[in-house]
Amino acid sequence: MFIDFPDIIILAGGLGTRLRDSVQNLPKAMAPVNGKPFLEYQFDFISKFGFRKVILATGYLSVSVENYFGNKYKNLELVYSVEPKPLGTGGAVKLAFSQVTTPHTLILNGDTMFRINLDQFFQKHVENLALVSIALRRVEDATRYGLVECDENMHITAFREKSDDSFPGLINGGTYLIRSKYFRNLNLSDNFSLEKDVFARMLEREKYKAHIFNNYFLDIGVPSDYLRAQTEFNEFKD
């Protein structure tokens, strides 16, 4: 049975507080990397797959995103969901869901590059009959991220808070697939955290699935990793 590719929501409303010295008067997703906005690299990557519609969940300086990209990029239709005030990652997703038309929804962080096989991720999500699928990445130092734990069947069993101690582990890669009907049926406020108030608190062990990828991963949220992007993104051949 053919299943239509999901709409994509990209969380692109971050203020980029920790990058203020390097990135001024721009939302974090528009931070320039070698003369191009971070988002452009993300669009180049996802446009290689079968996806067609991207809903940009914007807030802070949203006009800078709309003015730069308009309503189309390559084969991607771009639409906008603008927060009237900061609503948290969950509130931004909930608002953007008013424009989702597909049975499943792919959600990406607008400041994270995780170059996994998105087609494969989607197919596994559907085959597993999962409510939520989360792409995980093993890192040597999980201090910034917190840990995700899963059992031998790749059911997610727990989300652990960030720690000051340095240790390796599996982290949330900021790439999720959610069954749209499931999300819409949750009793959610307008302002909440997707990670803490949905994933961690509403965890349904048999239906929350982990997928571990070893592909390139970079979160540009701190100056040192933003600097890394200036060099490492030159290697991308999209």
Side-chain angles (χ1 to χ4, degrees):
M1 180 178 66
F2 175 76
I3 299 177
D4 199 11
F5 280 96
D7 290 342
I8 299 175
I9 295 173
I10 296 181
L11 292 165
L15 277 67
T17 305
R18 290 174 293 184
L19 296 181
R20 282 289 167 82
D21 289 342
S22 305
V23 181
Q24 298 180 0
N25 301 317
L26 286 172
K28 187 162 48 171
M30 292 295 288
V33 179
N34 297 324
K36 296 197 303 185
F38 177 87
L39 264 178
E40 190 165 342
Y41 291 91
Q42 206 167 40
F43 290 159
D44 283 337
F45 178 63
I46 63 178
S47 68
K48 299 189 303 180
F49 300 96
F51 304 98
R52 291 188 289 275
K53 186 170 85 172
V54 175
I55 303 161
L56 289 155
T58 60
Y60 173 69
L61 296 177
S62 60
V63 68
S64 65
V65 184
E66 296 184 46
N67 287 346
Y68 189 92
F69 289 107
N71 59 12
K72 189 174 180 61
Y73 184 87
K74 294 185 176 178
N75 56 319
L76 300 171
E77 175 194 2
L78 305 180
V79 297
Y80 296 87
S81 171
V82 183
E83 294 174 291
K85 59 182 179 180
L87 299 175
T89 53
V93 168
K94 181 181 177 182
L95 186 65
F97 249 84
S98 65
Q99 301 188 70
V100 169
T101 60
T102 51
H104 303 271
T105 306
L106 175 65
I107 300 173
L108 305 176
N109 281 339
D111 59 355
T112 302
M113 178 64 73
F114 197 9
R115 294 171 67 83
I116 68 173
N117 186 322
L118 294 172
D119 284 346
Q120 182 186 76
F121 184 43
F122 176 50
Q123 292 304 319
K124 289 293 185 183
H125 170 77
V126 173
E127 290 169 12
N128 289 331
L129 303 177
L131 298 177
V132 175
S133 296
I134 301 180
L136 306 183
R137 178 67 154 80
R138 191 176 300 280
V139 297
E140 291 304 311
D141 182 1
T143 308
R144 279 176 56 197
Y145 308 99
L147 293 176
V148 181
E149 297 179 0
C150 48
D151 63 19
E152 66 277 4
N153 295 313
M154 302 307 293
H155 299 132
I156 295 174
T157 58
F159 294 87
R160 302 298 180 198
E161 292 290 337
K162 299 175 185 178
S163 168
D164 292 335
D165 298 325
S166 176
F167 46 78
L170 293 170
I171 65 166
N172 176 348
T175 300
Y176 322 117
L177 277 159
I178 297 181
R179 196 180 302 179
S180 301
K181 184 178 180 181
Y182 164 72
F183 184 82
R184 287 193 169 102
N185 286 341
L186 296 175
N187 184 21
L188 299 167
S189 67
D190 291 333
N191 189 327
F192 64 98
S193 164
L194 183 65
E195 299 81 5
K196 294 180 179 179
D197 297 320
V198 176
F199 295 162
R201 292 186 183 176
M202 300 181 181
L203 178 61
E204 295 187 39
R205 180 169 174 168
E206 296 299 314
K207 294 294 185 178
Y208 274 46
K209 297 288 286 188
H211 299 267
I212 301 172
F213 295 90
N214 295 316
N215 303 73
Y216 179 88
F217 173 85
L218 185 67
D219 174 349
I220 65 165
V222 297
S224 59
D225 284 343
Y226 175 57
L227 184 61
R228 280 178 54 200
Q230 309 298 325
T231 300
E232 295 179 358
F233 281 22
N234 284 327
E235 301 301 315
F236 298 159
K237 305 298 182 184
D238 293 316

